[in-house]
Amino acid sequence: MDPTPVVLYNARIVDGTGAPPVPDGILVVEDALIRWCGPAREAPDDPDLHGATRVDLGGRTVCPGFIDTHVHFALPGPAANPLSGAGELVSYRTLKVLERLRSTLHNGVTTARDLMGLDAGFRRAVAERRVAGPRLLVAVSMLSQTAGHADFRLPGGIDALEAAVTFPGSPPGIVDTVDDIRTRVRVLVAAGADCIKLAASGGVTSPHDQPDWLGLRPDMVRAAVEEAEAYGGLPVAVHAIGEPGIAAAVRSGVRSIEHGYALTDELRAEMAERGQFLVPTLLETTTEPDPAQVPPAVYAKAVRWHRIAQESVARSVEAGIRVAMGTDAGLIAPHGQNLRELGLLVDIGGMTPLQAIRAATADAADLCGVGDVTGTLTAGKAADVVICGTDPLTDIDSLADPVHIHAVLKEGRVAIDRTGVLARAGLPELVVVD
């Protein structure tokens, strides 16, 4: 039997394209897809819809499912020391990941790009609805040179990334030659990676480097970009905080700069001209690490570089760089509070609420290569929908509170319905398959 269409009406539509909101809108969901979306006065007189289930949304705001382009589900956020996983069984760490996936989805994120930690098995389990979570894209591992941002080998002999963050079988992240990085990119392709994650600068949490040090050398970044392009045009995402690392990544033609705290005006102009994305991860910069859980050197780096980040991002927005929402959730920032990033893009980045929403929907989908599947409320795309109890264009910070996320649909299935607004819709729930 064909699924019965569901007409959601009396809704304020924010479609993710950056267009002004539609105050009296209709969204038609049929099976996993959006069938139609637009103003009520323009709704088609379609005989197939005469018997459709109709649900009055009571003036609530409807947005596309949001996309977080930079998360780490294998990491615990402020709930625990990032290295705590080194003392846990893999099965136990896996079960904790499942809770983080569920919380992230229930709070409005229907697609997420994990930039180190999860393997392709998690992506498959979510796609088959064996577990609840956002549509996943995975980088699997992060690549850097010895003593770079992927080198967490500690004096006692433990590789903290291998022990606490990645899962058995994930390719190692250390590459020290051009040939190494070409081979490792190919290994990651074979492991099912959706994108390639590099570190072209040092990092805040890594033990052997500083954020303003050059990480992977330009010839190695270029080699990775070339290999990724050869394997279906996989996007290359680059952790780059200090100027040398940012310059190496930008001029090697990567798809996105993750963090980009020390961008100069010259590099901003180059990024804008090339159409490269910036993922500023502001939520991380407003979540100070617990001094009791991190080494003093890490805490000092965080304080310094988070200030630089907040002073930089508005200039990057003004320069016309394409911005996609990413939070770095799991490292320091908590899981499930991803949409706090929207308010930070407005308050710190100088975006309008409409621009911030686009950064977390259409532009984020474009960065991740899923713009034909999701990112806007457009006919033919997945019915990834967030129903809000507030108007985010007048109170963008309200989306940070789950109480205002009244319902979430993923591919036309109910992930959560906190207020019962969809109770009459008859839509299937996002349940585990038999």
Side-chain angles (χ1 to χ4, degrees):
M1 180 182 297
D2 292 335
T4 301
V6 174
V7 178
L8 306 176
Y9 69 97
N10 189 15
R12 181 188 301 105
I13 303 285
V14 179
D15 67 6
T17 66
V22 175
D24 182 17
I26 286 178
L27 178 72
V28 181
V29 174
E30 186 170 18
D31 198 10
L33 302 177
I34 296 170
R35 177 163 174 167
W36 192 84
C37 182
R41 66 180 182 278
E42 298 177 11
D45 185 16
D46 189 336
D48 290 346
L49 299 182
H50 291 171
T53 301
R54 297 177 61 84
V55 177
D56 185 351
L57 293 187
R60 293 175 174 86
T61 300
V62 174
C63 298
F66 293 101
I67 301 170
D68 191 333
T69 68
H70 191 136
V71 297
H72 297 288
F73 286 112
L75 286 166
N81 187 306
L83 302 184
S84 60
E88 298 169 348
L89 291 170
V90 173
S91 55
Y92 183 69
R93 288 201 286 124
T94 299
L95 292 171
K96 291 200 294 185
V97 167
L98 302 188
E99 170 57 22
R100 295 164 194 159
L101 290 169
R102 182 202 63 79
S103 174
T104 300
L105 173 64
H106 285 185
N107 292 334
V109 173
T110 56
T111 302
R113 188 173 69 159
D114 188 281
L115 285 185
M116 179 201 64
L118 298 195
D119 59 33
F122 289 93
R123 181 185 63 207
R124 178 178 176 180
V126 169
E128 294 178 353
R129 301 198 310 278
R130 298 183 184 279
V131 298
R135 177 185 296 102
L136 282 176
L137 303 159
V138 296
V140 185
S141 302
M142 173 175 64
L143 305 182
S144 87
Q145 79 288 357
T146 294
H149 189 47
D151 188 352
F152 279 74
R153 292 173 292 191
L154 304 179
I158 293 176
D159 184 330
L161 277 187
E162 181 179 322
V165 180
T166 60
F167 286 82
S170 296
I174 305 301
V175 286
D176 282 313
T177 69
V178 168
D179 286 344
D180 281 351
I181 203 166
R182 287 189 183 278
T183 300
R184 197 62 49 79
V185 169
R186 296 168 190 172
V187 170
L188 285 167
V189 171
D194 298 292
C195 63
I196 302 301
K197 170 76 177 295
L198 310 178
S201 81
V204 170
T205 55
S206 40
H208 307 302
D209 58 18
Q210 293 292 327
D212 48 0
W213 292 0
L214 178 63
L216 288 173
R217 306 309 189 249
D219 59 343
M220 297 178 72
V221 179
R222 287 193 298 270
V225 170
E226 184 178 291
E227 290 297 324
E229 180 61 31
Y231 284 92
L234 287 185
V236 177
V238 178
H239 162 102
I241 293 179
E243 181 182 348
I246 297 171
V250 168
R251 291 164 183 164
S252 296
V254 308
R255 181 66 166 155
S256 64
I257 300 296
E258 311 294 315
H259 315 304
Y261 299 162
L263 270 163
T264 64
D265 288 342
E266 179 183 359
L267 287 168
R268 290 186 180 99
E270 290 187 41
M271 284 187 67
E273 182 178 355
R274 294 169 182 267
Q276 293 165 313
F277 282 87
L278 173 66
V279 181
T281 60
L282 289 171
L283 183 56
E284 179 196 10
T285 74
T286 60
T287 310
E288 292 298 340
D290 183 350
Q293 291 194 352
V294 299
V298 169
Y299 183 79
K301 285 193 284 186
V303 170
R304 177 192 174 199
W305 285 96
H306 291 174
R307 174 184 54 79
I308 293 172
Q310 294 179 28
E311 293 171 352
S312 169
V313 65
R315 295 199 299 276
S316 297
V317 172
E318 290 172 2
I321 297 173
R322 299 186 74 184
V323 172
M325 188 189 85
T327 62
D328 220 354
L331 186 60
I332 297 174
H335 294 287
Q337 297 183 25
N338 312 62
L339 297 190
R340 285 175 54 197
E341 185 80 14
L342 294 171
L344 299 175
L345 288 172
V346 173
D347 296 339
I348 297 175
M351 287 183 155
T352 67
L354 206 56
Q355 288 173 324
I357 289 172
R358 176 169 176 136
T361 52
D363 287 340
D366 190 6
L367 167 59
C368 293
V370 294
D372 58 338
V373 174
T374 190
T376 61
L377 298 177
T378 304
K381 292 190 180 183
D384 298 341
V385 179
V386 174
I387 299 173
C388 314
T390 58
D391 179 1
L393 300 186
T394 59
D395 186 7
I396 192 73
D397 290 320
S398 65
L399 296 187
D401 188 343
V403 73
H404 300 305
I405 306 297
H406 285 189
V408 177
L409 294 178
K410 182 189 170 197
E411 295 176 341
R413 290 176 172 266
V414 179
I416 192 167
D417 183 8
R418 288 188 171 94
T419 62
V421 64
L422 296 176
R424 291 188 54 255
L427 291 165
E429 294 186 359
L430 191 72
V431 295
V432 175
V433 297
D434 293 330

